[in-house]
Amino acid sequence: MAVTYDVIVLGLGGMGSAAARHLAARGARVLGLERYGPAHAHGSSHGGSRITRQSYFEDPAYVPLLLRAYELYEQIERDSGREIALLCGGMMVGRPDCRTVTGAVRSARAWDLPHEMLDAREIRRRFPTMSPLDDEVALYETRAGLLRPEAMVAAHLRLAAGAGAELRFEEPVTRWEELPGGRGVRVHTAGRSWTAGQLVICPGAWAPEVLADLGAPVRVERQVMYWFGPEGGVEPFLPGRQPVFVWEEADGVQVYGFPAIDGPSGGVKTAFFRKNGTPCTPDTLDRTVAPAEAEDMASAMRQVAPTLPGTFLRAVTCMYSTTPDEHFIIGRHPAHPETTTVACGFSGHGFKFVPVVGEILADLALDGGTAHPIGLFDPLRFGAGAAAGAGAGAAGGSR
């Protein structure tokens, strides 16, 4: 069978849509396959907002990728005519010795990022919505803010299609295989198959199934996003008055929140970062949020914001795909290094990197390597990928 595409992209969520866009923009013949519709809510790239920040407490090694991602946010907005980033400022809050603060400071100093250190009194003065304890501090950066995930995915899909990519939705993949001699790949859906010289797999929460032969220990877990109506209304929480925040409590639990971006009745979005992450699969995810869960979130917010939680409005589930070290997996598939590139395990903090990961995946698929620093994300660091053979499973939306 003749190779009919240069690259097939499995999964058209956050990472896959960006990969399709960058590949098509470079003139590659691209086929994108997605089991659901465009910009769907079945995976991890939904919920109206995601935090973006540069003073990265996880590791300073992420900062160069963030600087490039910020450049690409502007490019996407110019090319698509859609707003996808709102840089309303952001705070990393907690006791001075907590990971959220010390890690953010380390990254800011390592990369000379503009930032301010605020004590509790200054936090309260600038942001009356917030109520830190007297011994809490914050790193504040004006370049932090939020992304609109559905808008970004939709923009990447439209730009990919405009550059000639063929995008097929409601087209779940049943299996894929490498052609003899590493001459390409064949991808199968129900009743159809396609061939290409290269395969890019962005499976999101479907990683354990789609990339079973990778051997990477990706844990899929249920998470919940909440919206509350503040006492007195959303006015004090509007962008320009309210920053995004990540707040580490004394017990190490992190909560995060956003400005009110959904109008007078839209409320304020908040969530825990990784707390209560129940293991699941995309098929077993419980999308019902119990009243006790909402009360747990409300109780946490009472500690950090005087007028929250106010009135509970709604909650939506999503999934994290987390690696043991909470760093990403990006690289050539160890068992199929000539044909296949993988991106998964974004561990609940990957969406802000979407456009630069798309660029990296295009580099790897077309050039075999990338100038971007991705050593931290090596698939082999877990001893993964020793098994050879065909991958199997259904491609879902990626982060």
Side-chain angles (χ1 to χ4, degrees):
M1 179 184 293
V3 171
T4 51
Y5 296 93
D6 295 318
V7 188
I8 295 175
V9 179
L10 301 192
L12 293 174
M15 305 306 178
S17 65
R21 183 271 171 111
H22 282 283
L23 287 161
R26 299 186 195 185
R29 295 170 297 164
V30 177
L31 171 65
L33 298 172
E34 167 60 53
R35 67 157 52 215
Y36 295 109
H40 63 79
H42 298 283
S44 304
S45 299
H46 61 280
S49 58
R50 291 289 186 276
I51 288 177
T52 189
R53 50 194 166 87
Q54 294 183 348
S55 299
Y56 216 61
F57 63 77
E58 286 83 351
D59 196 301
Y62 285 90
V63 174
L65 299 179
L66 285 162
L67 297 177
R68 177 56 178 159
Y70 272 60
E71 294 174 346
L72 292 170
Y73 299 159
E74 296 180 4
Q75 184 184 99
I76 297 162
E77 291 183 329
R78 288 194 305 268
D79 292 347
S80 70
R82 299 189 66 164
E83 181 187 74
I84 57 97
L86 177 59
L87 302 184
C88 54
M91 292 194 301
M92 305 299 110
V93 190
R95 287 181 167 83
D97 61 349
C98 74
R99 178 196 180 201
T100 303
V101 173
T102 60
V105 170
R106 184 163 61 109
S107 285
R109 291 176 177 171
W111 292 97
D112 197 23
L113 301 173
H115 68 284
E116 297 178 75
M117 296 305 300
L118 310 180
D119 61 18
R121 181 177 179 181
E122 184 65 6
I123 295 169
R124 297 186 201 108
R125 186 187 73 80
R126 289 203 200 181
F127 308 112
T129 54
M130 304 280 94
S131 56
L133 299 174
D134 289 342
D135 62 347
E136 291 181 316
V137 300
L139 179 144
Y140 176 76
E141 58 171 319
T142 59
R143 295 284 288 167
L146 64 91
L147 303 172
R148 302 178 185 274
E150 293 90 345
M152 185 183 287
V153 173
H156 276 136
L157 293 174
R158 186 165 62 253
L159 292 169
E166 179 183 345
L167 307 178
R168 300 183 65 89
F169 299 96
E170 310 294 340
E171 191 86 46
V173 168
T174 56
R175 62 189 176 94
W176 62 273
E177 63 205 11
E178 191 170 60
L179 297 175
R183 293 182 294 105
V185 295
R186 182 179 292 113
V187 176
H188 302 268
T189 62
R192 294 200 62 175
S193 64
W194 292 270
T195 57
Q198 292 288 316
L199 178 64
V200 173
I201 303 178
C202 302
W206 287 259
E209 178 184 359
V210 178
L211 292 173
D213 67 333
L214 183 64
V218 176
R219 168 190 165 103
V220 179
E221 54 190 40
R222 174 183 179 271
Q223 294 290 330
V224 184
M225 301 170 278
Y226 302 85
W227 284 259
F228 294 94
E231 296 174 9
V234 299
E235 186 72 22
F237 289 89
L238 293 177
R241 303 181 68 179
Q242 171 68 31
V244 299
F245 63 87
V246 179
W247 202 305
E248 184 171 331
E249 300 176 335
D251 60 1
V253 172
Q254 291 170 310
V255 298
Y256 64 93
F258 297 82
I261 60 171
D262 298 320
S265 61
V268 172
K269 178 183 169 183
T270 67
F272 291 111
F273 190 44
R274 295 200 181 94
K275 182 183 178 183
N276 301 328
T278 306
C280 68
T281 70
D283 291 332
T284 63
L285 171 65
D286 182 359
R287 296 184 181 272
T288 301
V289 178
E293 293 180 282
E295 178 51 37
D296 190 26
M297 185 77 251
S299 178
M301 293 313 302
R302 290 186 189 102
Q303 307 306 309
V304 302
T307 62
L308 284 177
T311 304
F312 172 67
L313 300 178
R314 63 189 178 100
V316 173
T317 58
C318 70
M319 290 174 283
Y320 285 1
S321 303
T322 302
T323 64
D325 60 10
E326 298 175 0
H327 297 311
F328 311 155
I329 295 173
I330 304 173
R332 302 294 277 180
H333 193 308
H336 311 282
E338 299 301 317
T339 62
T340 305
T341 300
V342 299
C344 62
F346 287 93
S347 302
H349 63 111
F351 194 87
K352 60 186 72 66
F353 298 89
V354 157
V356 69
V357 170
E359 190 170 65
I360 290 166
L361 295 176
D363 291 344
L364 294 172
L366 298 180
D367 304 329
T370 181
H372 288 296
I374 61 170
L376 189 64
F377 314 136
D378 188 349
L380 286 172
R381 71 187 188 274
F382 303 116
S398 69
R399 286 189 59 79

